[in-house]
Amino acid sequence: MMIVFAVLLIASFIRNKETLFSKKRNMAVFVMLSAIGIALGIVDMIRPYIPSIAYAIEKYFK
C-alpha cells in the first residue's frame, strides 16, 4: 500500500509541478500533506490494529 501511495505521490508531483513551483505556499502544503500521509502509513504498518481516529472521537464524546 505504501508503494502505491508513493507512486501516486510522485505522479501527482510530476503532473502538477508547474502549479507547485508557482507559489511557495502550494509546495509547502503539498510537502506537509505528503509527510502526514507517509507518517500515517508507517504508523499503520507498525501497529495495524490501533483504534482509528473516528473510534477515539466516538469514545471521547460518550
Side-chain angles (χ1 to χ4, degrees):
M1 192 66 172
M2 285 293 292
I3 295 172
V4 172
F5 180 73
V7 168
L8 291 174
L9 188 67
I10 293 168
S12 66
F13 178 76
I14 292 170
R15 188 177 310 134
N16 297 316
K17 66 181 173 183
E18 293 85 20
T19 306
L20 292 173
F21 287 132
S22 67
K23 292 185 181 177
K24 287 185 180 181
R25 181 183 57 141
N26 292 345
M27 184 61 132
V29 170
F30 181 80
V31 169
M32 182 183 66
L33 292 175
S34 300
I36 290 171
I38 291 169
L40 288 174
I42 291 170
V43 167
D44 186 54
M45 284 175 32
I46 293 171
R47 294 187 59 194
Y49 298 111
I50 60 173
S52 66
I53 295 172
Y55 177 77
I57 292 172
E58 181 182 345
K59 187 177 177 182
Y60 176 75
F61 283 116
K62 281 189 176 181

